[in-house]
């Protein structure tokens, strides 16, 4: 629906010109659009097939674990998934999963959900992780080896920073001391 609006909304540059016309549309790199859409389809498939329940059961070992274990596990869990799906699709998948898991392991939902959301944004290793990765990779100047060599240290630093900051500063900002 939003894409259709581009064909209706005037551009404001020329009389009668719209934001999008068929000539501009034909020049779009549809492989990028399809790649991002595939990530959303995978996330929906996870939910409808019951795979999210299986994943949630696999994370039940976090019950009673200290915060310094819960945060990196949740962050790495979503960080691994996000390398194979877009970061938005991963967030769509893991946030409901982590909200339910927080209730069952009796921790504050923000602890798992923030860890999962930030972990999903640490998508640096493969082209499918984020639109910017796809665009860079599609130029042909950036290889997967380049993405991994640059992205892995960024991912490790991101997880480490979140592991330190969320239990300390996060508990003050989000009031995660209680288990509501």
């Amino acid at each position: 629906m939003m894409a259709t609006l581009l064909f209706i909304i005037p551009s404001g540059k020329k009389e009668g010109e719209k934001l999008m016309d068929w000539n501009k549309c034909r020049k779009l790199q549809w492989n990028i659009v399809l790649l991002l859409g595939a990530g959303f389809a995978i996330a929906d498939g996870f939910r409808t097939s019951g795979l999210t329940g299986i994943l949630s059961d696999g994370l039940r070992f976090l019950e009673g674990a200290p915060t310094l274990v819960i945060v990196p596990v949740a962050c790495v869990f979503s960080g691994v998934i996000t390398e194979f799906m877009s970061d938005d699709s991963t967030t769509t998948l893991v946030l409901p999963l982590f909200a339910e898991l927080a209730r069952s392991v009796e921790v504050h939902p923000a602890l798992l959900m923030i860890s999962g959301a930030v972990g999903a944004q640490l998508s640096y290793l493969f082209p499918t992780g984020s639109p910017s990765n796809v665009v860079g990779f599609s130029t042909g100047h950036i290889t997967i080896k380049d993405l991994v060599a640059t992205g892995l240290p960024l991912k490790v630093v991101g997880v480490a920073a979140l592991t330190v900051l969320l239990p300390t500063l996060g508990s003050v900002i989000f009031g995660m001391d209680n288990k509501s």
Side-chain angles (χ1 to χ4, degrees):
M1 184 171 140
M2 297 307 292
T4 304
L5 289 177
L6 295 174
F7 290 94
I8 299 170
I9 299 171
S11 71
K13 292 181 179 178
K14 293 181 186 175
E15 184 69 30
E17 183 182 54
K18 307 298 182 203
L19 289 174
M20 178 67 74
D21 61 30
W22 188 245
N23 288 329
K24 292 177 191 173
C25 186
R26 287 189 342 202
K27 294 177 185 174
L28 287 175
Q29 292 187 350
W30 286 100
N31 56 344
I32 294 172
V33 174
L34 293 174
L35 184 62
L36 294 175
F40 286 108
I42 291 170
D44 189 50
F46 271 47
R47 270 193 311 282
T48 57
S49 70
L51 187 56
T52 54
I54 294 168
L55 293 173
S56 179
D57 289 342
L59 292 171
R60 295 227 190 267
F61 71 90
L62 294 174
E63 188 168 2
T67 304
L68 288 174
V69 171
I70 292 173
V71 171
V73 167
C75 191
V76 167
F77 177 81
S78 65
V80 168
I81 292 174
T82 198
E83 296 304 340
F84 303 100
M85 301 182 344
S86 72
D87 45 12
D88 296 332
S89 302
T90 301
T91 306
T92 302
L93 171 72
V94 299
L95 289 188
L97 181 136
F98 283 154
E100 187 60 37
L101 182 64
R103 280 190 212 104
S104 65
V105 300
E106 297 179 358
V107 298
H108 196 287
L111 186 67
L112 284 167
M113 294 177 76
I114 292 170
S115 301
V118 171
Q121 302 311 306
L122 300 175
S123 53
Y124 305 124
L125 305 182
F126 296 117
T128 53
S130 71
S132 57
N133 290 7
V134 172
V135 170
F137 184 73
S138 68
T139 65
H141 298 292
I142 298 173
T143 65
I144 292 178
K145 183 179 176 183
D146 296 331
L147 288 170
V148 171
T150 306
L152 192 58
L154 290 172
K155 189 173 275 235
V156 169
V157 168
V159 171
L162 186 68
T163 301
V164 171
L165 292 174
L166 191 57
T168 56
L169 188 58
S171 64
V172 173
I173 293 172
F174 299 111
M176 291 185 293
D177 294 334
N178 59 12
K179 296 178 181 179
S180 55

